[in-house]
Amino acid sequence: MPSDNELTDLDVAHLMADAARTAILPLFRKSDLTTDNKDSQGFDPVTIADRDAEQAMRAILGEHRPEDGIWGEEFGLQSGPSGRLWVLDPIDGTRGFISGTPTWGVLIALSDGGAPFLGVIDQPYIGERFTGAPGVSIMTGPHGPRALETRKTARLAESILFTTFPEVGTPQDRAAFEAVAGQVQLTRFGMDCYAYALLAAGQVDLVIEAGLNAYDIQAPIAVIEAAGGVVTDWMGGPAHQGGRVLAAANPALHAAALEVLAGY
Amino acid sequence: MPSDNELTDLDVAHLMADAARTAILPLFRKSDLTTDNKDSQGFDPVTIADRDAEQAMRAILGEHRPEDGIWGEEFGLQSGPSGRLWVLDPIDGTRGFISGTPTWGVLIALSDGGAPFLGVIDQPYIGERFTGAPGVSIMTGPHGPRALETRKTARLAESILFTTFPEVGTPQDRAAFEAVAGQVQLTRFGMDCYAYALLAAGQVDLVIEAGLNAYDIQAPIAVIEAAGGVVTDWMGGPAHQGGRVLAAANPALHAAALEVLAGY
């Protein structure tokens, strides 16, 4: 049970996302200002942004959900008596962040220790937030709120596929990805967690990645499932521990992609 | 000479970019609403957005610069007695547009018939605009205005490289790209014209592409050169007719990348 009955879990998640925005935005696109000619230290501002944002989110949990556990990319696992677990990635898409792209995100997920049931994908620079929870599937952004609903595309040949390949994964992972890519209408690259948000928003049909950590995928799972999509590993099993991940807009398309991936 | 002395060329370019935003934004991320289950026609909304935006920009030129020529992706060349030429791409990054990414853009360039001297890269959804002209190098966006200035990175090993490969280019083009990619610190994919905007903004160091049209590159050339960067083809010659393009943050880095590319 929540330890602060005045706020719902979703309220707490939004407070956390707000706090992460406040911590990160002053550091975004400021690497040249702080590093100047010290290019060898050009990655430091990212670490500061990551750490500040995770600390800000942990402080909110400490105040409003002190009995819950926390697992964050930067500061690891802190267990709690409730058995519930908040899984945090303060900046998913670090390489995008340091390059100034607007497609990295803050990831927040909540579970009972297994699969996540609440997720937030937040893009602070654009001011977009994609939220999924029981009975909740919505995005907010600069052009107003909008319900999230995945597409009905049933065939690979009609699908838009996103991935972070060729930047991640083993050669075998990549071969599996390319086997699917060879059958879809359009393949796009390099969107980090934003690809999952676009899948939930009904803009794209498939995301295939490998080498993920749990904190990379738990928030996307909750957001996509609440919007009608399916997220598993490449064998059709649970994906919330990371690894090889297949996200699809609906069960039929998921089955079609899984059939290709299962050969690898 | 301008035929409407009340507005500068830059004023006219901003009016055009504003009009393109107005035409495009109602159609962005609306493909499912208009095509529903007719997936085979899923590309139609893009064509409408492209055409509406280019018509809106042409109407502004007709009113304020009737003696200038226009070359647009959708409606071709319309010559004018002034010898000046506006080069327009109403939506650069069509595949990104139909996928819902926020990294496509409206491109506007002005030349005396050769290399462009004024350019605008506009991202309507985020509300960002990158402008380059004689004495002008600025971006505006949701977090305020900022001067554009390219990075001083002098060595490939310290560079961030962007490209649309592996989606475009011949195998030989790609081999050349990969020769440079093998020497840089970080390579990122799939940002369309937004990569050039990030180069002008001092966020990344290199963009390498092939198979470009003139309307894909003329606005980026003007924006990047005003911010201190260098844009040429892979032989070091003019790039404003498109083809193989190398954009670099500064002359030293441009020379280093050119040395690698010239072998292909």
PDB file of all heavy atoms in Angstrom, chain A residues 29 32 43 99 125 128 143 146 167 185 187-188 190 192 194 202-203, chain B residues 29 32 43 99 125 128 143 146 167 185 187-188 190 192 194 202-203:
ATOM      1  N   ARG A  29      22.625  20.479 -23.775  1.00  0.00           N
ATOM      2  CA  ARG A  29      23.248  21.336 -24.794  1.00  0.00           C
ATOM      3  C   ARG A  29      24.176  22.383 -24.197  1.00  0.00           C
ATOM      4  O   ARG A  29      24.415  23.411 -24.810  1.00  0.00           O
ATOM      5  CB  ARG A  29      22.183  22.015 -25.681  1.00  0.00           C
ATOM      6  CG  ARG A  29      21.362  21.011 -26.483  1.00  0.00           C
ATOM      7  CD  ARG A  29      20.473  21.683 -27.500  1.00  0.00           C
ATOM      8  NE  ARG A  29      19.719  20.685 -28.260  1.00  0.00           N
ATOM      9  CZ  ARG A  29      18.784  20.973 -29.170  1.00  0.00           C
ATOM     10  NH1 ARG A  29      18.497  22.238 -29.417  1.00  0.00           N
ATOM     11  NH2 ARG A  29      18.150  20.020 -29.808  1.00  0.00           N
ATOM     12  N   ASP A  32      29.552  22.335 -24.272  1.00  0.00           N
ATOM     13  CA  ASP A  32      30.635  23.205 -24.711  1.00  0.00           C
ATOM     14  C   ASP A  32      30.873  24.347 -23.736  1.00  0.00           C
ATOM     15  O   ASP A  32      31.997  24.796 -23.560  1.00  0.00           O
ATOM     16  CB  ASP A  32      30.336  23.768 -26.097  1.00  0.00           C
ATOM     17  CG  ASP A  32      30.744  22.791 -27.189  1.00  0.00           C
ATOM     18  OD1 ASP A  32      31.851  22.226 -27.088  1.00  0.00           O
ATOM     19  OD2 ASP A  32      29.966  22.587 -28.102  1.00  0.00           O
ATOM     20  N   PHE A  43      32.357  14.267 -21.440  1.00  0.00           N
ATOM     21  CA  PHE A  43      31.246  13.432 -21.008  1.00  0.00           C
ATOM     22  C   PHE A  43      30.797  13.736 -19.579  1.00  0.00           C
ATOM     23  O   PHE A  43      29.774  13.278 -19.127  1.00  0.00           O
ATOM     24  CB  PHE A  43      31.626  11.946 -21.125  1.00  0.00           C
ATOM     25  CG  PHE A  43      31.780  11.502 -22.549  1.00  0.00           C
ATOM     26  CD1 PHE A  43      32.997  11.607 -23.182  1.00  0.00           C
ATOM     27  CD2 PHE A  43      30.699  11.004 -23.250  1.00  0.00           C
ATOM     28  CE1 PHE A  43      33.157  11.215 -24.506  1.00  0.00           C
ATOM     29  CE2 PHE A  43      30.847  10.611 -24.570  1.00  0.00           C
ATOM     30  CZ  PHE A  43      32.070  10.714 -25.202  1.00  0.00           C
ATOM     31  N   SER A  99      24.843  14.573 -27.761  1.00  0.00           N
ATOM     32  CA  SER A  99      24.836  15.070 -29.137  1.00  0.00           C
ATOM     33  C   SER A  99      23.785  16.148 -29.360  1.00  0.00           C
ATOM     34  O   SER A  99      23.684  16.693 -30.459  1.00  0.00           O
ATOM     35  CB  SER A  99      24.572  13.920 -30.112  1.00  0.00           C
ATOM     36  OG  SER A  99      25.492  12.871 -29.920  1.00  0.00           O
ATOM     37  N   TYR A 125      13.165  18.282 -23.003  1.00  0.00           N
ATOM     38  CA  TYR A 125      13.428  19.435 -23.877  1.00  0.00           C
ATOM     39  C   TYR A 125      12.192  19.806 -24.688  1.00  0.00           C
ATOM     40  O   TYR A 125      11.804  20.972 -24.766  1.00  0.00           O
ATOM     41  CB  TYR A 125      14.616  19.139 -24.798  1.00  0.00           C
ATOM     42  CG  TYR A 125      14.970  20.308 -25.682  1.00  0.00           C
ATOM     43  CD1 TYR A 125      15.595  21.435 -25.157  1.00  0.00           C
ATOM     44  CD2 TYR A 125      14.657  20.306 -27.041  1.00  0.00           C
ATOM     45  CE1 TYR A 125      15.914  22.523 -25.955  1.00  0.00           C
ATOM     46  CE2 TYR A 125      14.973  21.390 -27.846  1.00  0.00           C
ATOM     47  CZ  TYR A 125      15.604  22.498 -27.298  1.00  0.00           C
ATOM     48  OH  TYR A 125      15.893  23.567 -28.096  1.00  0.00           O
ATOM     49  N   GLU A 128       7.471  16.670 -23.599  1.00  0.00           N
ATOM     50  CA  GLU A 128       6.515  15.592 -23.848  1.00  0.00           C
ATOM     51  C   GLU A 128       6.613  14.532 -22.757  1.00  0.00           C
ATOM     52  O   GLU A 128       7.713  14.190 -22.314  1.00  0.00           O
ATOM     53  CB  GLU A 128       6.825  14.903 -25.182  1.00  0.00           C
ATOM     54  CG  GLU A 128       6.402  15.669 -26.408  1.00  0.00           C
ATOM     55  CD  GLU A 128       6.726  14.884 -27.663  1.00  0.00           C
ATOM     56  OE1 GLU A 128       7.856  14.388 -27.784  1.00  0.00           O
ATOM     57  OE2 GLU A 128       5.839  14.766 -28.514  1.00  0.00           O
ATOM     58  N   HIS A 143       1.688  20.450 -27.870  1.00  0.00           N
ATOM     59  CA  HIS A 143       0.477  20.672 -28.656  1.00  0.00           C
ATOM     60  C   HIS A 143      -0.729  20.025 -28.001  1.00  0.00           C
ATOM     61  O   HIS A 143      -1.697  19.655 -28.666  1.00  0.00           O
ATOM     62  CB  HIS A 143       0.699  20.183 -30.085  1.00  0.00           C
ATOM     63  CG  HIS A 143       1.898  20.815 -30.729  1.00  0.00           C
ATOM     64  ND1 HIS A 143       1.868  22.098 -31.225  1.00  0.00           N
ATOM     65  CD2 HIS A 143       3.173  20.379 -30.888  1.00  0.00           C
ATOM     66  CE1 HIS A 143       3.077  22.410 -31.688  1.00  0.00           C
ATOM     67  NE2 HIS A 143       3.878  21.387 -31.497  1.00  0.00           N
ATOM     68  N   ARG A 146      -3.081  13.846 -25.555  1.00  0.00           N
ATOM     69  CA  ARG A 146      -3.593  12.931 -26.573  1.00  0.00           C
ATOM     70  C   ARG A 146      -3.572  11.515 -26.019  1.00  0.00           C
ATOM     71  O   ARG A 146      -2.605  11.114 -25.374  1.00  0.00           O
ATOM     72  CB  ARG A 146      -2.702  13.027 -27.819  1.00  0.00           C
ATOM     73  CG  ARG A 146      -3.151  12.153 -28.951  1.00  0.00           C
ATOM     74  CD  ARG A 146      -2.272  12.382 -30.171  1.00  0.00           C
ATOM     75  NE  ARG A 146      -2.385  11.271 -31.077  1.00  0.00           N
ATOM     76  CZ  ARG A 146      -1.645  11.102 -32.168  1.00  0.00           C
ATOM     77  NH1 ARG A 146      -0.731  11.999 -32.483  1.00  0.00           N
ATOM     78  NH2 ARG A 146      -1.804  10.059 -32.938  1.00  0.00           N
ATOM     79  N   GLU A 167      24.148   0.447 -33.718  1.00  0.00           N
ATOM     80  CA  GLU A 167      25.030   0.904 -32.630  1.00  0.00           C
ATOM     81  C   GLU A 167      25.166  -0.112 -31.502  1.00  0.00           C
ATOM     82  O   GLU A 167      26.078  -0.019 -30.688  1.00  0.00           O
ATOM     83  CB  GLU A 167      24.509   2.223 -32.068  1.00  0.00           C
ATOM     84  CG  GLU A 167      24.618   3.351 -33.064  1.00  0.00           C
ATOM     85  CD  GLU A 167      23.970   4.606 -32.536  1.00  0.00           C
ATOM     86  OE1 GLU A 167      24.562   5.246 -31.677  1.00  0.00           O
ATOM     87  OE2 GLU A 167      22.863   4.937 -32.978  1.00  0.00           O
ATOM     88  N   GLN A 185       8.243  -2.255 -44.208  1.00  0.00           N
ATOM     89  CA  GLN A 185       8.124  -1.161 -45.164  1.00  0.00           C
ATOM     90  C   GLN A 185       9.227  -0.125 -44.989  1.00  0.00           C
ATOM     91  O   GLN A 185       9.733   0.435 -45.949  1.00  0.00           O
ATOM     92  CB  GLN A 185       6.756  -0.486 -44.983  1.00  0.00           C
ATOM     93  CG  GLN A 185       6.460   0.628 -45.966  1.00  0.00           C
ATOM     94  CD  GLN A 185       5.125   1.282 -45.680  1.00  0.00           C
ATOM     95  OE1 GLN A 185       4.839   1.739 -44.578  1.00  0.00           O
ATOM     96  NE2 GLN A 185       4.278   1.307 -46.691  1.00  0.00           N
ATOM     97  N   THR A 187      12.561   1.136 -42.138  1.00  0.00           N
ATOM     98  CA  THR A 187      13.367   0.965 -40.924  1.00  0.00           C
ATOM     99  C   THR A 187      14.040   2.279 -40.598  1.00  0.00           C
ATOM    100  O   THR A 187      14.620   2.919 -41.479  1.00  0.00           O
ATOM    101  CB  THR A 187      14.447  -0.118 -41.124  1.00  0.00           C
ATOM    102  OG1 THR A 187      13.826  -1.335 -41.498  1.00  0.00           O
ATOM    103  CG2 THR A 187      15.250  -0.325 -39.845  1.00  0.00           C
ATOM    104  N   ARG A 188      13.971   2.676 -39.332  1.00  0.00           N
ATOM    105  CA  ARG A 188      14.607   3.920 -38.912  1.00  0.00           C
ATOM    106  C   ARG A 188      15.503   3.656 -37.704  1.00  0.00           C
ATOM    107  O   ARG A 188      15.256   2.753 -36.920  1.00  0.00           O
ATOM    108  CB  ARG A 188      13.555   4.978 -38.531  1.00  0.00           C
ATOM    109  CG  ARG A 188      12.701   5.413 -39.698  1.00  0.00           C
ATOM    110  CD  ARG A 188      13.431   6.325 -40.659  1.00  0.00           C
ATOM    111  NE  ARG A 188      13.723   7.605 -40.021  1.00  0.00           N
ATOM    112  CZ  ARG A 188      14.410   8.574 -40.597  1.00  0.00           C
ATOM    113  NH1 ARG A 188      14.896   8.414 -41.803  1.00  0.00           N
ATOM    114  NH2 ARG A 188      14.638   9.697 -39.973  1.00  0.00           N
ATOM    115  N   GLY A 190      18.276   5.082 -34.399  1.00  0.00           N
ATOM    116  CA  GLY A 190      18.874   6.086 -33.541  1.00  0.00           C
ATOM    117  C   GLY A 190      17.943   6.909 -32.656  1.00  0.00           C
ATOM    118  O   GLY A 190      18.307   7.998 -32.239  1.00  0.00           O
ATOM    119  N   ASP A 192      16.662   5.983 -29.591  1.00  0.00           N
ATOM    120  CA  ASP A 192      16.694   5.662 -28.162  1.00  0.00           C
ATOM    121  C   ASP A 192      15.283   5.340 -27.648  1.00  0.00           C
ATOM    122  O   ASP A 192      14.491   4.764 -28.383  1.00  0.00           O
ATOM    123  CB  ASP A 192      17.351   6.813 -27.375  1.00  0.00           C
ATOM    124  CG  ASP A 192      18.772   7.094 -27.891  1.00  0.00           C
ATOM    125  OD1 ASP A 192      19.537   6.137 -28.063  1.00  0.00           O
ATOM    126  OD2 ASP A 192      19.081   8.251 -28.139  1.00  0.00           O
ATOM    127  N   TYR A 194      12.800   7.073 -27.298  1.00  0.00           N
ATOM    128  CA  TYR A 194      11.728   7.767 -28.006  1.00  0.00           C
ATOM    129  C   TYR A 194      11.023   6.849 -28.992  1.00  0.00           C
ATOM    130  O   TYR A 194       9.836   7.036 -29.290  1.00  0.00           O
ATOM    131  CB  TYR A 194      12.310   8.981 -28.740  1.00  0.00           C
ATOM    132  CG  TYR A 194      11.319  10.079 -29.013  1.00  0.00           C
ATOM    133  CD1 TYR A 194      11.025  11.011 -28.026  1.00  0.00           C
ATOM    134  CD2 TYR A 194      10.664  10.180 -30.225  1.00  0.00           C
ATOM    135  CE1 TYR A 194      10.110  12.021 -28.271  1.00  0.00           C
ATOM    136  CE2 TYR A 194       9.748  11.183 -30.476  1.00  0.00           C
ATOM    137  CZ  TYR A 194       9.477  12.104 -29.489  1.00  0.00           C
ATOM    138  OH  TYR A 194       8.566  13.102 -29.725  1.00  0.00           O
ATOM    139  N   GLY A 202       1.146   5.176 -31.530  1.00  0.00           N
ATOM    140  CA  GLY A 202       0.545   4.757 -32.798  1.00  0.00           C
ATOM    141  C   GLY A 202       1.248   5.318 -34.024  1.00  0.00           C
ATOM    142  O   GLY A 202       0.655   5.416 -35.097  1.00  0.00           O
ATOM    143  N   GLN A 203       2.526   5.685 -33.884  1.00  0.00           N
ATOM    144  CA  GLN A 203       3.280   6.228 -35.017  1.00  0.00           C
ATOM    145  C   GLN A 203       4.125   5.181 -35.719  1.00  0.00           C
ATOM    146  O   GLN A 203       4.392   5.291 -36.907  1.00  0.00           O
ATOM    147  CB  GLN A 203       4.176   7.373 -34.532  1.00  0.00           C
ATOM    148  CG  GLN A 203       3.410   8.560 -34.009  1.00  0.00           C
ATOM    149  CD  GLN A 203       2.545   9.197 -35.075  1.00  0.00           C
ATOM    150  OE1 GLN A 203       2.971   9.384 -36.201  1.00  0.00           O
ATOM    151  NE2 GLN A 203       1.305   9.496 -34.735  1.00  0.00           N
TER     152      GLN A 203
ATOM    153  N   ARG B  29       1.620  13.538 -37.167  1.00  0.00           N
ATOM    154  CA  ARG B  29       1.135  12.492 -36.247  1.00  0.00           C
ATOM    155  C   ARG B  29      -0.364  12.254 -36.373  1.00  0.00           C
ATOM    156  O   ARG B  29      -0.994  11.771 -35.426  1.00  0.00           O
ATOM    157  CB  ARG B  29       1.502  12.819 -34.788  1.00  0.00           C
ATOM    158  CG  ARG B  29       3.000  12.838 -34.564  1.00  0.00           C
ATOM    159  CD  ARG B  29       3.360  12.934 -33.096  1.00  0.00           C
ATOM    160  NE  ARG B  29       4.815  12.964 -32.928  1.00  0.00           N
ATOM    161  CZ  ARG B  29       5.437  13.123 -31.765  1.00  0.00           C
ATOM    162  NH1 ARG B  29       4.730  13.258 -30.659  1.00  0.00           N
ATOM    163  NH2 ARG B  29       6.753  13.137 -31.703  1.00  0.00           N
ATOM    164  N   ASP B  32      -2.773   8.047 -38.757  1.00  0.00           N
ATOM    165  CA  ASP B  32      -3.748   7.005 -38.420  1.00  0.00           C
ATOM    166  C   ASP B  32      -5.174   7.540 -38.425  1.00  0.00           C
ATOM    167  O   ASP B  32      -6.108   6.833 -38.779  1.00  0.00           O
ATOM    168  CB  ASP B  32      -3.441   6.398 -37.053  1.00  0.00           C
ATOM    169  CG  ASP B  32      -2.380   5.315 -37.174  1.00  0.00           C
ATOM    170  OD1 ASP B  32      -2.469   4.495 -38.097  1.00  0.00           O
ATOM    171  OD2 ASP B  32      -1.463   5.320 -36.363  1.00  0.00           O
ATOM    172  N   PHE B  43       0.931   6.962 -46.933  1.00  0.00           N
ATOM    173  CA  PHE B  43       1.863   8.043 -47.257  1.00  0.00           C
ATOM    174  C   PHE B  43       1.158   9.299 -47.758  1.00  0.00           C
ATOM    175  O   PHE B  43       1.745  10.335 -47.895  1.00  0.00           O
ATOM    176  CB  PHE B  43       2.886   7.570 -48.305  1.00  0.00           C
ATOM    177  CG  PHE B  43       3.805   6.521 -47.786  1.00  0.00           C
ATOM    178  CD1 PHE B  43       3.466   5.192 -47.855  1.00  0.00           C
ATOM    179  CD2 PHE B  43       5.009   6.871 -47.199  1.00  0.00           C
ATOM    180  CE1 PHE B  43       4.320   4.210 -47.362  1.00  0.00           C
ATOM    181  CE2 PHE B  43       5.861   5.899 -46.698  1.00  0.00           C
ATOM    182  CZ  PHE B  43       5.515   4.570 -46.781  1.00  0.00           C
ATOM    183  N   SER B  99       6.900   8.773 -39.393  1.00  0.00           N
ATOM    184  CA  SER B  99       7.133   7.953 -38.205  1.00  0.00           C
ATOM    185  C   SER B  99       6.894   8.721 -36.911  1.00  0.00           C
ATOM    186  O   SER B  99       7.005   8.145 -35.829  1.00  0.00           O
ATOM    187  CB  SER B  99       8.577   7.425 -38.218  1.00  0.00           C
ATOM    188  OG  SER B  99       8.871   6.750 -39.422  1.00  0.00           O
ATOM    189  N   TYR B 125       7.324  21.098 -34.842  1.00  0.00           N
ATOM    190  CA  TYR B 125       6.719  20.442 -33.676  1.00  0.00           C
ATOM    191  C   TYR B 125       7.371  20.899 -32.379  1.00  0.00           C
ATOM    192  O   TYR B 125       6.690  21.250 -31.417  1.00  0.00           O
ATOM    193  CB  TYR B 125       6.804  18.921 -33.814  1.00  0.00           C
ATOM    194  CG  TYR B 125       6.136  18.201 -32.670  1.00  0.00           C
ATOM    195  CD1 TYR B 125       4.747  18.155 -32.567  1.00  0.00           C
ATOM    196  CD2 TYR B 125       6.889  17.575 -31.682  1.00  0.00           C
ATOM    197  CE1 TYR B 125       4.126  17.507 -31.508  1.00  0.00           C
ATOM    198  CE2 TYR B 125       6.266  16.924 -30.628  1.00  0.00           C
ATOM    199  CZ  TYR B 125       4.896  16.889 -30.541  1.00  0.00           C
ATOM    200  OH  TYR B 125       4.290  16.251 -29.488  1.00  0.00           O
ATOM    201  N   GLU B 128      11.478  24.929 -32.963  1.00  0.00           N
ATOM    202  CA  GLU B 128      12.864  25.404 -33.059  1.00  0.00           C
ATOM    203  C   GLU B 128      13.140  25.921 -34.464  1.00  0.00           C
ATOM    204  O   GLU B 128      12.704  25.322 -35.453  1.00  0.00           O
ATOM    205  CB  GLU B 128      13.838  24.258 -32.794  1.00  0.00           C
ATOM    206  CG  GLU B 128      13.989  23.879 -31.349  1.00  0.00           C
ATOM    207  CD  GLU B 128      15.014  22.762 -31.197  1.00  0.00           C
ATOM    208  OE1 GLU B 128      14.921  21.765 -31.935  1.00  0.00           O
ATOM    209  OE2 GLU B 128      15.892  22.893 -30.344  1.00  0.00           O
ATOM    210  N   HIS B 143      13.179  27.001 -25.285  1.00  0.00           N
ATOM    211  CA  HIS B 143      13.920  27.443 -24.110  1.00  0.00           C
ATOM    212  C   HIS B 143      14.696  28.730 -24.399  1.00  0.00           C
ATOM    213  O   HIS B 143      15.711  29.008 -23.769  1.00  0.00           O
ATOM    214  CB  HIS B 143      14.834  26.312 -23.626  1.00  0.00           C
ATOM    215  CG  HIS B 143      14.088  25.046 -23.349  1.00  0.00           C
ATOM    216  ND1 HIS B 143      13.343  24.861 -22.201  1.00  0.00           N
ATOM    217  CD2 HIS B 143      13.891  23.925 -24.091  1.00  0.00           C
ATOM    218  CE1 HIS B 143      12.744  23.673 -22.243  1.00  0.00           C
ATOM    219  NE2 HIS B 143      13.067  23.082 -23.376  1.00  0.00           N
ATOM    220  N   ARG B 146      19.395  31.501 -28.845  1.00  0.00           N
ATOM    221  CA  ARG B 146      20.786  31.169 -28.558  1.00  0.00           C
ATOM    222  C   ARG B 146      21.616  31.384 -29.818  1.00  0.00           C
ATOM    223  O   ARG B 146      21.198  31.001 -30.907  1.00  0.00           O
ATOM    224  CB  ARG B 146      20.869  29.712 -28.102  1.00  0.00           C
ATOM    225  CG  ARG B 146      22.248  29.245 -27.757  1.00  0.00           C
ATOM    226  CD  ARG B 146      22.213  27.819 -27.216  1.00  0.00           C
ATOM    227  NE  ARG B 146      23.529  27.225 -27.307  1.00  0.00           N
ATOM    228  CZ  ARG B 146      23.801  25.957 -27.053  1.00  0.00           C
ATOM    229  NH1 ARG B 146      22.837  25.139 -26.690  1.00  0.00           N
ATOM    230  NH2 ARG B 146      25.019  25.490 -27.159  1.00  0.00           N
ATOM    231  N   GLU B 167      20.715   4.190 -44.342  1.00  0.00           N
ATOM    232  CA  GLU B 167      19.488   4.248 -45.129  1.00  0.00           C
ATOM    233  C   GLU B 167      19.687   4.769 -46.546  1.00  0.00           C
ATOM    234  O   GLU B 167      18.825   4.598 -47.394  1.00  0.00           O
ATOM    235  CB  GLU B 167      18.454   5.116 -44.415  1.00  0.00           C
ATOM    236  CG  GLU B 167      17.992   4.528 -43.098  1.00  0.00           C
ATOM    237  CD  GLU B 167      17.073   5.477 -42.370  1.00  0.00           C
ATOM    238  OE1 GLU B 167      15.934   5.622 -42.783  1.00  0.00           O
ATOM    239  OE2 GLU B 167      17.520   6.092 -41.391  1.00  0.00           O
ATOM    240  N   GLN B 185      34.834   9.497 -32.373  1.00  0.00           N
ATOM    241  CA  GLN B 185      34.477   9.079 -31.020  1.00  0.00           C
ATOM    242  C   GLN B 185      33.091   8.453 -30.964  1.00  0.00           C
ATOM    243  O   GLN B 185      32.860   7.501 -30.218  1.00  0.00           O
ATOM    244  CB  GLN B 185      34.518  10.309 -30.101  1.00  0.00           C
ATOM    245  CG  GLN B 185      34.215  10.013 -28.636  1.00  0.00           C
ATOM    246  CD  GLN B 185      34.226  11.284 -27.799  1.00  0.00           C
ATOM    247  OE1 GLN B 185      33.514  12.246 -28.076  1.00  0.00           O
ATOM    248  NE2 GLN B 185      35.071  11.294 -26.782  1.00  0.00           N
ATOM    249  N   THR B 187      29.322   7.807 -33.440  1.00  0.00           N
ATOM    250  CA  THR B 187      28.536   7.940 -34.665  1.00  0.00           C
ATOM    251  C   THR B 187      27.069   7.743 -34.333  1.00  0.00           C
ATOM    252  O   THR B 187      26.706   6.813 -33.610  1.00  0.00           O
ATOM    253  CB  THR B 187      28.957   6.879 -35.707  1.00  0.00           C
ATOM    254  OG1 THR B 187      30.346   7.023 -35.984  1.00  0.00           O
ATOM    255  CG2 THR B 187      28.165   7.049 -37.005  1.00  0.00           C
ATOM    256  N   ARG B 188      26.235   8.635 -34.856  1.00  0.00           N
ATOM    257  CA  ARG B 188      24.798   8.532 -34.613  1.00  0.00           C
ATOM    258  C   ARG B 188      24.047   8.585 -35.935  1.00  0.00           C
ATOM    259  O   ARG B 188      24.514   9.189 -36.897  1.00  0.00           O
ATOM    260  CB  ARG B 188      24.322   9.673 -33.705  1.00  0.00           C
ATOM    261  CG  ARG B 188      24.907   9.620 -32.309  1.00  0.00           C
ATOM    262  CD  ARG B 188      24.269   8.564 -31.452  1.00  0.00           C
ATOM    263  NE  ARG B 188      22.872   8.853 -31.182  1.00  0.00           N
ATOM    264  CZ  ARG B 188      22.064   8.043 -30.512  1.00  0.00           C
ATOM    265  NH1 ARG B 188      22.490   6.900 -30.048  1.00  0.00           N
ATOM    266  NH2 ARG B 188      20.813   8.368 -30.316  1.00  0.00           N
ATOM    267  N   GLY B 190      20.202   8.700 -38.336  1.00  0.00           N
ATOM    268  CA  GLY B 190      18.772   8.888 -38.518  1.00  0.00           C
ATOM    269  C   GLY B 190      18.177  10.226 -38.117  1.00  0.00           C
ATOM    270  O   GLY B 190      17.005  10.294 -37.819  1.00  0.00           O
ATOM    271  N   ASP B 192      18.062  13.080 -40.058  1.00  0.00           N
ATOM    272  CA  ASP B 192      17.657  13.921 -41.183  1.00  0.00           C
ATOM    273  C   ASP B 192      18.324  15.300 -41.092  1.00  0.00           C
ATOM    274  O   ASP B 192      19.452  15.395 -40.645  1.00  0.00           O
ATOM    275  CB  ASP B 192      16.131  14.021 -41.257  1.00  0.00           C
ATOM    276  CG  ASP B 192      15.484  12.639 -41.382  1.00  0.00           C
ATOM    277  OD1 ASP B 192      15.935  11.855 -42.222  1.00  0.00           O
ATOM    278  OD2 ASP B 192      14.554  12.368 -40.622  1.00  0.00           O
ATOM    279  N   TYR B 194      18.001  17.597 -39.096  1.00  0.00           N
ATOM    280  CA  TYR B 194      18.281  18.034 -37.730  1.00  0.00           C
ATOM    281  C   TYR B 194      19.766  17.874 -37.386  1.00  0.00           C
ATOM    282  O   TYR B 194      20.297  18.607 -36.554  1.00  0.00           O
ATOM    283  CB  TYR B 194      17.415  17.241 -36.762  1.00  0.00           C
ATOM    284  CG  TYR B 194      17.152  17.935 -35.456  1.00  0.00           C
ATOM    285  CD1 TYR B 194      16.125  18.866 -35.344  1.00  0.00           C
ATOM    286  CD2 TYR B 194      17.927  17.676 -34.337  1.00  0.00           C
ATOM    287  CE1 TYR B 194      15.883  19.510 -34.146  1.00  0.00           C
ATOM    288  CE2 TYR B 194      17.687  18.324 -33.137  1.00  0.00           C
ATOM    289  CZ  TYR B 194      16.664  19.237 -33.045  1.00  0.00           C
ATOM    290  OH  TYR B 194      16.437  19.881 -31.858  1.00  0.00           O
ATOM    291  N   GLY B 202      26.740  23.664 -32.451  1.00  0.00           N
ATOM    292  CA  GLY B 202      27.903  23.282 -31.654  1.00  0.00           C
ATOM    293  C   GLY B 202      27.704  22.015 -30.850  1.00  0.00           C
ATOM    294  O   GLY B 202      28.382  21.791 -29.844  1.00  0.00           O
ATOM    295  N   GLN B 203      26.778  21.164 -31.263  1.00  0.00           N
ATOM    296  CA  GLN B 203      26.517  19.918 -30.532  1.00  0.00           C
ATOM    297  C   GLN B 203      27.241  18.723 -31.143  1.00  0.00           C
ATOM    298  O   GLN B 203      27.557  17.771 -30.435  1.00  0.00           O
ATOM    299  CB  GLN B 203      25.010  19.639 -30.513  1.00  0.00           C
ATOM    300  CG  GLN B 203      24.219  20.676 -29.752  1.00  0.00           C
ATOM    301  CD  GLN B 203      24.607  20.732 -28.289  1.00  0.00           C
ATOM    302  OE1 GLN B 203      24.778  19.705 -27.644  1.00  0.00           O
ATOM    303  NE2 GLN B 203      24.764  21.934 -27.771  1.00  0.00           N
TER     304      GLN B 203
END
